[in-house]
Amino acid sequence: MTSPGHRGAIEGLSALEARLADELAFLQLPAPRWTPALEHEGVPVLDVAIVGAGMTGLAAAAALVQRGLHVVSYDEAPAGLEGPWATTARMETLRSPKQLAGPALGIPSLTFRAWFEAQFGRTAWDALDKIPRLQWMDYLRWYRQALALPVCNGHRVTDIVPRADALVELTIAAAGRSTRTFARRVVIATGRAGLGGPSVPAFAERLPRTRWAHSSDDNDYSELHGLRVGVVGGGASAMDSAATALEVGAAHVHLLVRRRDLPRINKGKGAGNPGFVQGYARLPDAWKWRIRHYINVQQVPPPRNSTQRVARFANAHFHLGVAIEDAVERGGALQVRTSAGPLALDFLIFATGFKVDWRQRPMLRHIAPCIRVWKDRYAPPAGDEDEELAESPDLGRAFEFQPRSGAHCPGLERVHCLTYPATLSLGVITGDIPAISEGALQLADTLAGLLYAEDIAYHYARMEAYDEPEILGDEWVAEPLPPVS
Ligand SMILES: Cc1cc2nc3c(=O)[nH]c(=O)nc-3n(C[C@H](O)[C@H](O)[C@H](O)COP(=O)(O)OP(=O)(O)OC[C@H]3O[C@@H](n4cnc5c(N)ncnc54)[C@H](O)[C@@H]3O)c2cc1C
C-alpha cells in the first residue's frame, strides 16, 4: 500500500515531468536529427558513441541529443548502478553543496533541487544540509528516465579502434557476446579512474590480496569486524573507509597520513567562478600547470562531517606525519613499517586515489601508445614536477586526444575525453558536479560543429534540394512599370 507521503511524491514528480516537458518545448529541445543517416556493414552508424553512463555520460548524452545527434551511451554496470554512488562510495552525504545545478544543462526542472522539492517540498529543502549519497543516485536515475536517454547497460566497451575512413570501431561485450559498433565520434566518460585505475604503492602488489583493498574496491567491510585496520591517506575516501570499518566493528582503525596536518582549505572550490570554468582552457600551459599543481600540492580536505564520523570512535587513531614505507605478511598479521616505527595490522586500505595507467584500461590498448600526454611536450619549472599532471592527456580544444610525435593513428582525433584526467588541459568542466553541464554543453556544441563541417557537401546539397515554398506566387499580381510622364 502506498502511504500519503509516497503518493504525494509520485504526484509531485509527475507534475515536475510535465513542467520539464514544457520547458524543453519552450526551448525547442531536442532539435530534430539533421545529420545524414549512415550505414556501415549494414548497421546504422552512430553520430556519437559514449563510453560510460555515469553522471558525465548522462549529461553528455542529454546535451548531444538536444543538439539533434544520434547517440548511444554504453555502460558496463547494471541500470541504476552506474558510477560510485550506490556501489563503492561510502560517504553519508555528497561533498558538493546541495544548490549546485549539476547536470541540469541550464534547464531549471532538471536540477536536483527541482526533483527534491517536487517530492518533499520547500520546507524539507530548506532543512536539507547535504545531499544523501543514495538520494543523488535516485536523482540521476530519474534524470535519465525523464529525458529517455539512450543508454545500454550491461555493455562493456572492450576495444576502440579509430580508422582512416572517418569511423571509429567499438567492440562491445554484452550478455556473453561480443559485437562491433561504428560511430563517427567517441566520447570517453569513464569517470575519475577513467584512464587508469587505483594508485597503490608498489609493496601492496607483493601482499596477498586478502590483506588489502583500495578504497574504490567493493569489498565487504563486515569482514573487518574485530580486525586492526590501517587506512592510508587523509582525504575524503580515507575518512569514508575508516568510518565504515569502525561502524562494522573493526577493533582499531589507524589512519596513516603522511602530511603533518590535514589540509583544511579546498583551494579548488575557492577558484570556482564562471571565468575559471569558461576561461581555463584558453590559458597558456604554464598557467594551467601552475594552477593544477598548486591545487594538487595543497590537497583537498576531507569533509568535516566525514572526519567527525571517524573521530567519534575511541578506537580511531589519527597518525599525522606518518608515512607507510613497507608491509609484509608475517605470523598471521601484517608487519607494517612506517616513518614513525613498526605497526602490526590485519588489513590495509589504500585511500590513495587514482592514476592514469593505460594498462588498467584494456579498451584503450590500440590508441594508448599514440596518445600525447603532457610530459611529451611540456617541462614544468624545477620544483613543480608533478607525476599526475605529467601523465595527463594533452587534449585539444575539442576534448580530443592528440597524437604524440611520430605516432600513426588516423582518426585518433575522433576520440574525445570527458574524464577527470582531462582537467589539466580543459579545466573543471571535465567531471564533477560543479561544472559538468558546461563540459557536456561545450562538448555537444563542438561535436555538432565538427560533424556539420565534415558533411558540408551533404548539407549544401540539401540546401540546394530544399524546395518548401514560403510564398506561393498567388499573393501578388506583377505589373509593368508605369509609363514615364
Ligand atoms: C567516493 C567518491 C565520492 C565522490 N563524491 C563527489 C561529490 O560529492 N561531488 C562531486 O562532484 N564528485 C564526487 N566524486 C567524483 C565523482 O566520481 C564524479 O563527480 C562523478 O561520479 C563523475 O561521473 P562520471 O560519469 O564522470 O564517472 P562515474 O560516475 O565513475 O561513471 C563512469 C561510468 O563508466 C562506466 N565504464 C567504465 N568503463 C567502461 C567500459 N569499458 N565500458 C562501459 N562502461 C564503462 C562505469 O561503469 C561507470 O558507470 C566522488 C567520487 C568518489 C569515488
Side-chain angles (χ1 to χ4, degrees):
M1 217 176 77
T2 49
S3 66
H6 185 57
R7 245 192 335 271
I10 292 173
E11 284 165 14
L13 271 189
S14 303
L16 176 65
E17 283 161 22
R19 198 173 88 196
L20 173 63
D22 276 350
E23 285 173 7
L24 290 171
F26 297 161
L27 294 167
Q28 285 199 288
L29 295 173
R33 179 155 186 206
W34 51 273
T35 49
L38 304 181
E39 282 198 352
H40 185 75
E41 296 183 357
V43 288
V45 172
L46 297 170
D47 290 329
V48 186
I50 304 173
V51 188
M55 177 185 72
T56 301
L58 293 181
L64 289 159
V65 166
Q66 280 186 6
R67 295 292 174 270
L69 299 176
H70 179 36
V71 181
V72 174
S73 175
Y74 299 97
D75 202 297
E76 61 187 336
L81 292 178
E82 303 85 359
W85 315 109
T87 52
T88 55
R90 298 182 179 87
M91 65 282 191
E92 291 170 333
T93 60
L94 265 55
R95 170 198 294 278
S96 301
K98 65 177 180 178
Q99 65 276 7
L100 294 179
L105 306 177
I107 298 167
S109 294
L110 267 184
T111 55
F112 176 84
R113 179 173 179 171
W115 175 85
F116 183 94
E117 286 195 6
Q119 299 172 90
F120 313 114
R122 178 68 56 93
T123 310
W125 170 257
D126 291 339
L128 180 71
D129 175 24
K130 287 189 167 177
I131 300 173
R133 167 171 62 84
L134 295 177
Q135 198 169 41
W136 178 254
M137 187 71 230
D138 282 341
Y139 158 70
L140 290 178
R141 291 177 185 130
W142 171 80
Y143 177 98
R144 165 187 174 169
Q145 166 256 312
L147 293 174
L149 294 177
V151 178
C152 295
N153 285 97
H155 284 59
R156 168 192 266 266
V157 177
T158 58
D159 208 0
I160 298 174
V161 184
R163 305 165 15 141
D165 62 357
L167 295 180
V168 184
E169 182 179 329
L170 296 103
T171 308
I172 297 173
R177 285 184 56 225
S178 191
T179 52
R180 289 188 309 155
T181 294
F182 300 92
R184 300 178 64 187
R185 301 270 166 182
V186 172
V187 174
I188 311 281
T190 44
R192 198 149 268 246
L195 302 184
S199 172
V200 291
F203 67 78
E205 308 289 355
R206 297 192 295 270
L207 292 174
R209 205 57 180 84
T210 49
R211 288 286 184 185
W212 68 274
H214 185 264
S215 56
S216 65
D217 290 340
D218 70 347
N219 54 308
D220 180 2
Y221 272 52
S222 69
E223 291 174 1
L224 303 180
H225 181 86
L227 300 188
R228 297 162 297 174
V229 177
V231 176
V232 182
S237 291
M239 295 306 155
D240 300 336
S241 293
T244 311
L246 290 159
E247 285 162 5
V248 299
H252 290 278
V253 170
H254 296 273
L255 277 141
L256 305 174
V257 185
R258 194 170 35 190
R259 295 168 61 108
R260 296 196 176 283
D261 193 8
L262 289 178
R264 303 195 179 193
I265 295 165
N266 185 345
K267 296 285 184 178
K269 183 176 167 194
N273 62 52
F276 184 57
V277 169
Q278 304 293 348
Y280 175 93
R282 296 171 205 275
L283 293 175
D285 292 341
W287 270 114
K288 289 182 181 178
W289 189 281
R290 192 170 169 188
I291 292 169
R292 294 310 315 175
H293 180 59
Y294 179 73
I295 290 172
N296 277 358
V297 170
Q298 294 296 313
Q299 296 190 329
V300 181
R304 183 169 155 80
N305 59 340
S306 308
T307 314
Q308 289 169 328
R309 186 178 161 205
V310 177
R312 63 175 168 255
F313 286 87
N315 53 340
H317 313 284
F318 289 76
H319 303 295
L320 296 168
V322 176
I324 186 165
E325 293 170 346
D326 197 8
V328 290
E329 188 186 40
R330 200 181 304 130
L334 287 174
Q335 308 301 329
V336 177
R337 197 179 79 216
T338 78
S339 56
L343 182 67
L345 295 172
D346 301 303
F347 197 83
L348 271 170
I349 299 172
F350 293 97
T352 39
F354 303 100
K355 63 179 177 187
V356 172
D357 178 3
W358 308 99
R359 287 164 311 166
Q360 295 191 49
R361 291 282 154 178
M363 82 171 172
L364 301 173
R365 66 184 172 277
H366 271 97
I367 56 174
C370 302
I371 293 172
R372 189 165 83 207
V373 296
W374 271 68
K375 72 175 179 203
D376 294 331
R377 191 179 58 77
Y378 181 79
D384 282 356
E385 294 81 5
D386 189 317
E387 202 186 326
E388 180 192 317
L389 300 184
E391 298 293 341
S392 295
D394 183 19
L395 301 171
R397 287 297 301 279
F399 301 69
E400 81 280 23
F401 288 121
Q402 304 187 95
R404 59 166 44 128
S405 165
H408 181 68
C409 187
L412 180 66
E413 73 285 357
R414 293 180 175 276
V415 186
H416 306 261
C417 181
L418 195 62
T419 65
Y420 180 75
T423 310
L424 176 59
S425 294
L426 300 169
V428 290
I429 59 173
T430 55
D432 289 359
I433 295 168
I436 194 55
S437 282
E438 284 77 7
L441 289 168
Q442 273 188 31
L443 179 69
D445 287 341
T446 304
L447 295 192
L450 287 170
L451 289 170
Y452 178 80
E454 65 192 52
D455 292 336
I456 186 59
Y458 164 85
H459 293 297
Y460 188 81
R462 269 175 57 112
M463 182 174 72
E464 282 184 314
Y466 180 68
D467 63 356
E468 184 185 314
E470 293 195 356
I471 57 173
L472 304 177
D474 59 1
E475 295 87 354
W476 75 94
V477 176
E479 286 180 40
L481 284 176
V484 180
S485 52

